Amino acid sequence: MFKKVLIANRGEVATRVIRACKELGIKTVAIYSEADVNSLHVKKADEAYLIHGDPIKAYLNYFRIVDIAKRAGADAIHPGYGFLSERADFAEYARKQGIEFIGPSAEHLRVFGSKIEAKKLMRELGVPVAEGSEEPIESLKEAKKIAEKIGYPVMIKAAHGGGGRGLRVARSEKELETLFNIAVKEAEAAFGKGEVFIEKYIENPRHIEIQILADKHGNVVHLGERDCSLQRRHQKVLEIAPSPVLTRRQREKLGRICVEAAKAIGYYGAGTWEFLMDKYGNFYFMEVNPRLQVEHTITEEITGIDIVQEQIRIAAGMGLSFSQRSVQIHGFAMQFRINAEDPTKDFAPVPGTITAYYSPGGIGVRIDGVVYKGYTIPPYYDSMVAKLIVWGRSWDEVIRRSRRALGEFLIRGVPTTIPFFKKILNDPEFVKGQFDTSFIDRKIKDFTFIKEPDPEVIALALSAAIAAHHGL
């Protein structure tokens, strides 16, 4: 087992990895930018090293990060998610320097870094894939030809990266003419490559993903599915495990497909096979995320398996600590991404200082957070400040418990998405489990958000007014 691990990330995921390491008796090393001096992960790690300069590039300079790992005596690096987590060159360089990268092989990172290559590979392995182009689209003329062949509507997607950037839906040739160049430019701006491909658009699907864990000895298991259909502008905001609509037979079949694919290519580490499910129950492969997912927490809650610890064990050359037969799914879990965003202003990110923070508790409630009273949210990074994870024995119980937990959750100083989630949990369709990827975009226009005044701001204003009145 490793003696010391450097976490090449920040915030919530860095803190999550630190906790896993502590339970395994592993020392931890944090890195941080000048903007993250007061970040929680810096306080929690055994050692922390400042990287000067640009606050984003600080977490992207893998030569510097590997150098720090060597100087600190770390024998492994955990990349978390985002930043360098899917960079094959980072994994390769770290391993050449004698430091293990906690993740898949560089070869698999390269393959799955391209959605086009990933789809080709999965098609060869018999995994169901939606109709579409097998190579990057070079021109609008070529795009029109493919769209005509497979039929509208079609999706224009960035070949690299994710998060909904470089993704557009064209329902006609006229829309394709407008959206093709927009998608190319978006992809280039977001991922440095303007390569896009086209595939048949599945109307109002559910977004279903399967969690895989595989060791270096050929053992592969799946931990069931997550339903990530609740998205805003193609960005996941609320995830659920297991899906309230999948049958046991569907779960076992899809899980088996993913396990066999992972075995066929010699995959190791944590990985997520993502699919769209149409209204007839057919599945279509989208991509593989060869890393830890933001929403891994809900799988941990329903299985009792620590995915991060398993990642570390796998990287150290150890076998999985459990078998497929021992994986049991208990109850339901939901994850709410609590973002510092203003729902009254089209969810614009709002960095600022936390003036009050009270997190919920009780049975079945977990917080993976990064903020505290007095903490200033920097403007350079993702707006997520906490993940609220709630578990219940049944669908009804997890909804009731989530309502209670969100009601207890208090964050002041910045607006958050807590009111937004309260609206979702009280929607009759959601309560019945009747939702797909179009749910939030359809419903959000009916949600009314009232900007609640901050009691502390009111108190300060009253104090100032009283002082002024008395001439103090």
Side-chain angles (χ1 to χ4, degrees):
M1 180 54 77
F2 304 121
K3 291 183 172 62
K4 189 182 284 189
V5 169
L6 180 144
I7 300 98
N9 217 299
R10 64 178 296 278
E12 167 269 322
V13 68
T15 304
R16 170 71 188 90
V17 176
I18 288 167
R19 286 174 174 151
C21 287
K22 285 186 182 295
E23 291 185 18
L24 291 171
I26 300 170
K27 296 288 185 184
T28 54
V29 181
I31 57 169
Y32 63 100
S33 68
E34 291 169 343
D36 273 337
V37 170
N38 295 313
S39 183
L40 201 59
H41 78 282
V42 178
K43 301 174 187 292
K44 296 284 186 184
D46 295 300
E47 304 170 39
Y49 293 82
L50 171 64
I51 299 181
H52 293 280
D54 185 280
I56 295 174
K57 289 180 180 177
Y59 296 102
L60 295 172
N61 185 346
Y62 64 77
F63 297 108
R64 181 86 176 103
I65 291 168
V66 171
D67 182 55
I68 290 171
K70 289 169 73 174
R71 287 195 290 114
D75 41 8
I77 292 175
H78 195 300
Y81 39 70
F83 290 121
L84 294 166
S85 61
E86 297 181 58
R87 288 281 296 272
D89 48 355
F90 175 37
E92 211 162 48
Y93 180 72
R95 286 167 176 153
K96 281 180 180 177
Q97 296 300 309
I99 296 172
E100 183 56 37
F101 176 85
I102 299 175
S105 68
E107 176 192 358
H108 288 137
L109 288 171
R110 282 196 185 90
V111 169
F112 295 129
S114 166
K115 291 184 177 68
I116 294 171
E117 293 303 314
K119 283 183 68 178
K120 274 187 190 172
L121 179 59
M122 290 301 112
R123 187 181 282 110
E124 289 170 8
L125 294 172
V127 178
V129 176
E131 284 186 284
S133 57
E134 294 188 6
E135 299 293 339
I137 304 295
E138 300 291 338
S139 66
L140 176 59
K141 183 180 178 181
E142 188 182 354
K144 286 181 179 180
K145 188 177 178 181
I146 292 167
E148 188 178 342
K149 181 183 177 183
I150 64 177
Y152 289 95
V154 298
M155 249 192 318
I156 313 159
K157 297 175 73 174
H160 307 273
R165 288 166 292 183
L167 191 158
R168 289 288 185 273
V169 177
R171 298 183 178 277
S172 65
E173 185 175 300
K174 188 175 181 180
E175 285 189 4
L176 182 62
E177 289 172 355
T178 304
L179 297 174
F180 180 78
N181 288 330
I182 293 173
V184 169
K185 287 175 183 176
E186 259 190 16
E188 194 166 14
F191 313 117
K193 294 180 180 179
E195 292 183 343
V196 297
F197 65 101
I198 284 179
E199 68 181 18
K200 182 69 177 174
Y201 178 61
I202 312 298
E203 293 278 7
N204 303 330
R206 288 185 92 113
H207 182 141
I208 304 292
E209 59 186 34
I210 297 286
Q211 177 68 62
I212 289 291
L213 281 171
D215 64 28
K216 296 177 181 178
H217 308 286
N219 301 305
V220 185
V221 299
H222 73 86
L223 304 182
E225 84 283 358
R226 296 184 287 258
D227 194 323
C228 304
S229 303
L230 291 152
Q231 303 176 9
R232 187 175 60 83
R233 296 171 187 161
H234 307 295
Q235 299 271 359
K236 299 171 186 174
V237 295
L238 195 172
E239 298 96 346
I240 299 160
S243 171
V245 298
L246 251 65
T247 64
R248 183 175 178 178
R249 181 175 292 181
Q250 284 176 310
R251 179 177 301 116
E252 289 175 353
K253 181 181 178 181
L254 197 58
R256 187 167 57 251
I257 287 171
C258 297
V259 166
E260 289 173 358
K263 281 183 177 179
I265 62 174
Y267 187 88
Y268 60 80
T272 303
W273 265 244
E274 301 203 9
F275 297 83
L276 292 178
M277 182 180 81
D278 68 18
K279 60 185 178 182
Y280 305 109
N282 299 309
F283 291 93
Y284 302 94
F285 171 81
M286 284 199 300
E287 62 183 337
V288 171
N289 280 310
R291 55 167 170 81
L292 186 69
Q293 291 276 82
V294 178
E295 60 271 21
H296 74 278
T297 56
I298 50 176
T299 299
E300 292 181 329
E301 294 303 308
I302 62 170
T303 63
I305 293 167
D306 189 315
I307 293 172
V308 180
Q309 287 191 20
E310 291 298 323
Q311 277 190 299
I312 296 167
R313 289 169 55 85
I314 291 164
M318 302 170 72
L320 293 172
S321 65
F322 59 93
S323 66
Q324 186 68 67
R325 185 172 293 180
S326 65
V327 176
Q328 298 292 325
I329 293 173
H330 301 284
F332 286 86
M334 294 184 182
Q335 176 179 274
F336 303 86
R337 301 192 188 198
I338 310 299
N339 297 338
E341 296 175 353
D342 191 344
T344 68
K345 295 182 178 177
D346 199 26
F347 294 86
V350 185
T353 301
I354 305 295
T355 58
Y357 181 84
Y358 302 101
S359 60
I363 186 170
V365 176
R366 165 180 169 181
I367 296 286
D368 281 20
V370 290
V371 299
Y372 51 86
K373 184 179 179 180
Y375 176 76
T376 299
I377 302 165
Y380 312 106
Y381 311 109
D382 185 89
S383 60
M384 188 168 70
V385 297
K387 297 190 307 193
L388 168 63
I389 304 102
V390 182
W391 175 87
R393 292 170 298 175
S394 65
W395 178 249
D396 178 62
E397 185 173 76
V398 77
I399 288 175
R400 287 186 284 107
R401 185 167 288 158
S402 295
R403 287 172 182 159
R404 188 265 298 169
L406 285 164
E408 289 181 9
F409 210 161
L410 175 66
I411 300 176
R412 288 188 182 141
V414 295
T416 72
T417 50
I418 291 173
F420 168 65
F421 291 124
K422 288 179 180 178
K423 297 279 187 184
I424 291 176
L425 285 176
N426 285 297
D427 184 89
E429 286 183 40
F430 176 80
V431 172
K432 291 176 185 175
Q434 297 171 352
F435 52 83
D436 53 44
T437 55
S438 71
F439 179 86
I440 289 177
D441 289 338
R442 283 191 293 106
K443 292 283 184 176
I444 203 163
K445 63 181 181 296
D446 299 324
F447 292 166
T448 302
F449 301 104
I450 299 170
K451 200 164 189 176
E452 297 178 3
D454 189 327
E456 293 186 22
V457 172
I458 293 172
L460 286 170
L462 284 172
S463 297
I466 291 167
H469 177 73
H470 292 288
L472 298 176

